[in-house]
Amino acid sequence: MVELEQEVERRRRLGLESAARKTLIASSYRVARPEVYNSLQDAALAPEFLAVAEYSASPGADLKGLLQRLEAVSEEKRIYRVPVFTAPFCQALLEELEHFEQSDMPKGRPNTMNNYGVLLHELGLDEPLVTPLRERFLQPLMALLYPDCGGGQLDSHRAFVVKYALGQDLELGCHYDNAELTLNVALGKVFTGGALYFGGLFQAPTALTEPLEVEHVVGQGILHRGGQLHGARPLATGERWNLVIWLRASAVRNRLCPMCCRAPDLVDDEGFGDGFTREGPATVDVCALT
């Protein structure tokens, strides 16, 4: 019980610290590429992605038609690839991220496994970039691809950029995400190695006997279920930056926490929290058990 209370307090403290960093960044940070903070425009998105999203939202769209417009990396594992951003937008976003990295602004870790990168909500990019990407484009696409995983009920997210470089993080151990669904987009730069690898769902005891390796392609995104075991091979040369969006559906996780596989016991948190919601007044929560 003491350990649980300590973990709840740690998570509350993380939320407060993150909110404080966001406030300081908003008041003191001088951006390098102001255009990336504008509301997401179609010009930032790859034509193939726009076509896929348009089809997904059209009357009569179905999975068979959608799969003709996507690359199926693995139909068995339900892993797909699609171009997401244009090269100029990737470059502009990378320049902004590097500028922020070199600033004296406080920086939170992207997650518990990565030491280098940026939390996009702290940088102020949730509202103009990630939320419209989820609501306008990813929602209809995921509703067709993953209806059984809450793909049509996505109502929150956690978005961050991770950086891999020599002398910093080089690889990522096998894990599964605190998300119903995940989008992982390679932003750049020039690198070799670092391929993603996938096993089965985390509940399967032999999930990594024959992992599937997937190379990164700049501007393109990999779509997969959050519970799919995966990791990243060691980087060989260069730098690799990836945008990762954990997509969450409270209608799914309110019944069963995806991390502990138990009914969630909730405490209030800042922002989207861990994507849980309560009945009644709108609020966001974290699961005290994970």
Side-chain angles (χ1 to χ4, degrees):
M1 190 63 179
V2 173
E3 290 182 357
L4 177 59
E5 291 175 353
Q6 290 175 341
E7 179 62 15
V8 170
E9 180 56 32
R10 184 188 73 84
R11 285 171 173 254
R12 282 178 171 157
R13 192 166 58 249
L14 285 176
L16 293 172
E17 291 170 353
S18 179
R21 286 192 298 268
K22 181 179 180 180
T23 299
L24 178 59
I25 291 166
S27 65
S28 305
Y29 174 61
R30 299 186 65 177
V31 306
R33 298 297 300 263
E35 66 270 26
V36 304
Y37 295 87
N38 296 333
S39 183
L40 180 64
Q41 301 296 312
D42 288 2
L45 300 171
E48 299 92 333
F49 185 68
L50 291 171
V52 163
E54 182 179 7
Y55 172 79
S56 299
S58 65
D62 58 19
L63 180 60
K64 181 179 179 181
L66 176 59
L67 293 181
Q68 293 174 356
R69 296 164 168 83
L70 289 175
E71 176 189 346
V73 176
S74 170
E75 292 188 8
E76 176 191 1
K77 290 180 169 58
R78 300 172 69 187
I79 300 170
Y80 306 97
R81 187 201 302 271
V82 62
V84 177
F85 297 121
T86 63
F89 182 79
C90 287
Q91 182 61 35
L93 182 56
L94 266 180
E95 289 179 9
E96 180 60 36
L97 294 169
E98 288 189 295
H99 177 69
F100 177 71
E101 182 188 44
Q102 294 162 10
S103 74
D104 60 0
M105 290 290 101
K107 302 167 183 70
R109 288 178 60 184
N111 54 63
T112 58
M113 298 182 72
N114 290 92
N115 296 295
Y116 299 90
V118 180
L119 289 162
L120 291 197
H121 79 275
E122 292 187 2
L123 195 52
L125 286 171
D126 247 7
E127 293 81 1
L129 174 60
V130 186
T131 296
L133 185 66
R134 169 172 57 83
E135 293 180 343
R136 291 175 51 202
F137 300 101
L138 292 173
Q139 177 95 0
L141 169 61
M142 295 304 207
L144 289 179
L145 284 178
Y146 305 103
D148 53 324
C149 302
Q153 300 167 291
L154 303 174
D155 54 4
S156 71
H157 60 261
R158 178 178 175 86
F160 49 90
V161 171
V162 291
K163 176 191 176 186
Y164 297 86
L166 302 182
Q168 299 182 6
D169 290 338
L170 288 177
E171 59 189 310
L172 187 62
C174 184
H175 66 285
Y176 57 95
D177 297 336
N178 186 356
E180 276 63 65
L181 301 164
T182 296
L183 170 66
N184 186 332
V185 185
L187 299 176
K189 304 165 93 176
V190 178
F191 58 88
T192 59
L196 294 173
Y197 62 88
F198 291 91
L201 294 177
F202 74 91
Q203 300 95 334
T206 58
L208 275 177
T209 53
E210 296 181 7
L212 169 73
E213 293 208 358
V214 182
E215 297 292 339
H216 298 279
V217 179
V218 173
Q220 297 194 9
I222 301 297
L223 305 168
H224 64 87
R225 292 171 291 180
Q228 201 86 40
L229 284 172
H230 61 285
R233 300 298 188 198
L235 188 76
T237 64
E239 286 185 14
R240 177 168 71 83
W241 296 68
N242 282 60
L243 167 63
V244 179
I245 305 177
W246 287 352
L247 299 161
R248 292 162 168 172
S250 61
V252 175
R253 60 180 42 223
N254 283 352
R255 298 194 303 268
L256 195 70
C257 172
M259 303 305 286
C260 65
C261 296
R262 296 164 62 182
D265 179 17
L266 304 178
V267 295
D268 293 339
D269 194 22
E270 299 287 332
F272 285 136
D274 277 338
F276 300 92
T277 57
R278 299 182 193 272
E279 298 293 334
T283 185
V284 293
D285 307 274
V286 296
C287 177
L289 299 171
T290 60

